[in-house]
Amino acid sequence: RRERERAYRARLQTEAAEAKAEAKQAEARRQAILDAAKQEAPPKEADFPDPIEYAAAKAIWGAEQRLTEREAKNAGEAVKAAEGRAEEISKKERAILEQSWAVARDEAKSRYADFETVALTGWEPSPVMTDLILTSDVGPDVAYHLGQNRALAAQIAAMNPVEAARAIGRIEASLSQPKPRTETKAPDPISPVRGSAGAARDPSKMSVTEYAAWRAAGGKID
């Protein structure tokens, strides 16, 4: 599920970037049209000895101005349309993140009995922190950690976006590290069976010297 969400969000981000680039281009075109219109001064009657020529030049200039205004208006509408698409795409991505967070949050409640109290109340993440937590694979765990370390949370909230991303990344890394093993459930190693020296020899097979030593050590004949 997380992989599908990432792929869909990546596609939305690409579409949003394209829409923003289109809006930027349309705005540049609109501004260029307006700048050109400002530079084109209306004809002066003193420059035309023939009043008919002056009237014609003035009419042409007026028509060009109306055309320029229409082109500038069209470019402005293109800007609004592209910005609107980018905003709608961003809303879709946000909805996906919030839906994913809701699922992850409910799962975290089953692991942390006090998740609501610790992770979601009593401290205020910055907008950057919120985005980082929403997009993290261990977002609920990061939120719970920050709720347990609220002085740290306040420090990160005051950081710029780059510093905040690094700080959250360090928390993610620490939460992803395997826990050190403190005990093992493996059975104790089996000790090899060692026979006693006395049980290893049959007295009937001992020499006279060995038998005497064995008797002196407390051995007896059955």
Side-chain angles (χ1 to χ4, degrees):
R1 179 181 60 84
R2 296 287 294 183
E3 291 299 326
R4 289 196 302 271
E5 287 177 358
R6 285 196 193 94
Y8 185 46
R9 283 178 47 228
R11 187 164 68 251
L12 290 177
Q13 290 170 357
T14 299
E15 293 176 0
E18 291 173 349
K20 290 177 182 178
E22 184 179 339
K24 187 175 181 179
Q25 292 174 355
E27 175 59 27
R29 180 171 179 272
R30 186 186 74 86
Q31 192 60 50
I33 292 171
L34 294 175
D35 292 342
K38 292 178 182 178
Q39 294 175 1
E40 188 175 349
K44 296 180 181 180
E45 187 174 4
D47 296 333
F48 296 88
D50 188 337
I52 295 178
E53 290 181 0
Y54 169 68
K58 188 176 181 179
I60 293 172
W61 180 85
E64 291 176 347
Q65 289 298 108
R66 289 190 294 274
L67 178 61
T68 297
E69 291 176 358
R70 186 161 56 250
E71 290 178 347
K73 180 181 179 182
N74 291 339
E77 290 176 351
V79 172
K80 291 181 180 179
E83 289 177 343
R85 287 200 305 275
E87 184 177 355
E88 287 299 318
I89 293 170
S90 296
K91 287 181 180 179
K92 287 182 180 180
E93 183 186 4
R94 192 72 179 185
I96 292 171
L97 288 175
E98 292 176 353
Q99 182 179 6
S100 179
W101 166 257
V103 174
R105 179 195 60 205
D106 291 342
E107 187 275 333
K109 289 179 182 178
S110 66
R111 293 185 287 111
Y112 304 110
D114 56 350
F115 182 79
E116 290 276 358
T117 303
V118 175
L120 304 181
T121 59
W123 63 284
E124 189 69 25
S126 66
V128 172
M129 292 172 69
T130 299
D131 289 341
L132 291 169
I133 291 172
L134 287 177
T135 55
S136 172
D137 288 342
V138 289
D141 300 281
V142 172
Y144 190 81
H145 179 83
L146 291 172
Q148 290 180 313
N149 301 272
R150 299 188 178 185
L152 174 61
Q155 291 176 2
I156 298 176
M159 295 177 180
N160 63 48
V162 174
E163 292 174 338
R166 289 173 178 168
I168 296 297
R170 287 192 292 270
I171 294 173
E172 289 175 326
S174 68
L175 294 174
S176 300
Q177 290 177 353
K179 300 291 187 296
R181 178 181 293 181
T182 56
E183 62 179 4
T184 178
K185 295 182 179 179
D188 294 332
I190 300 175
S191 300
V193 177
R194 295 185 177 87
S196 62
R201 299 287 301 277
D202 185 350
S204 63
K205 298 179 180 180
M206 296 179 183
S207 65
V208 175
T209 303
E210 289 173 343
Y211 181 82
W214 176 75
R215 286 284 294 170
K220 60 183 179 178
I221 301 175
D222 295 331

